[in-house]
Amino acid sequence: MIWESNAILFYLGRKFAPNPIFTDEPETFGRIAQWLLFGKTTDHSLAPARYRSRFVSEGERDESRLSELREAGRCALAVVDGRLSTNRFLAGEYSIADIGCYPHISLAQEEGVDISEFKM
């Protein structure tokens, strides 16, 4: 049994290789791994921000911490946006890197992060 989302993506990519969303070619594989690991950094800001925004009552929230998490999430999104400003996909071509990073990006507004400044 495999239980970590990025481990599952690597497993499926490798199990069904060759396929268009995974490669063993070292340079592209490195970019895929880089972005999947970078995506985990958003787990430490955007996911907790979403939890605090959606599931913690206003009276129980630490607004200062929530603000810090949102700012860290915004910074992570700015890095992704910078990459996508010159590339259609994170690792060059559509890959498991895009699949792994998508959830937090797509939910950022629910987390209280204004994404209107980004073009992604």
Side-chain angles (χ1 to χ4, degrees), residues 4-6 38-49 69 100 104:
E4 204 289 322
S5 60
N6 286 341
F38 177 82
K40 295 313 276 181
T41 65
T42 65
D43 283 351
H44 301 291
S45 56
L46 292 174
L69 291 168
H104 290 300

Side-chain angles (χ1 to χ4, degrees), residues 27-107:
E27 186 175 330
T28 304
F29 178 84
R31 282 195 306 271
I32 289 170
Q34 168 189 298
W35 284 106
L36 278 175
L37 295 171
F38 177 82
K40 295 313 276 181
T41 65
T42 65
D43 283 351
H44 301 291
S45 56
L46 292 174
R50 181 172 188 264
Y51 171 77
R52 286 172 170 83
S53 297
R54 300 275 323 256
F55 304 109
V56 175
S57 67
E58 286 186 41
E60 298 292 319
R61 278 187 211 147
D62 178 346
E63 292 295 334
S64 175
R65 179 67 181 135
L66 183 55
S67 179
E68 290 171 3
L69 291 168
R70 286 175 174 156
E71 180 57 23
R74 194 196 68 67
C75 289
L77 292 173
V79 171
V80 172
D81 191 55
R83 173 67 177 171
L84 294 177
S85 71
T86 59
N87 295 276
R88 187 167 179 207
F89 300 106
L90 293 172
E93 298 295 325
Y94 182 70
S95 70
I96 62 173
D98 301 287
I99 295 167
C101 290
Y102 177 78
H104 290 300
I105 294 169
S106 70
L107 295 172

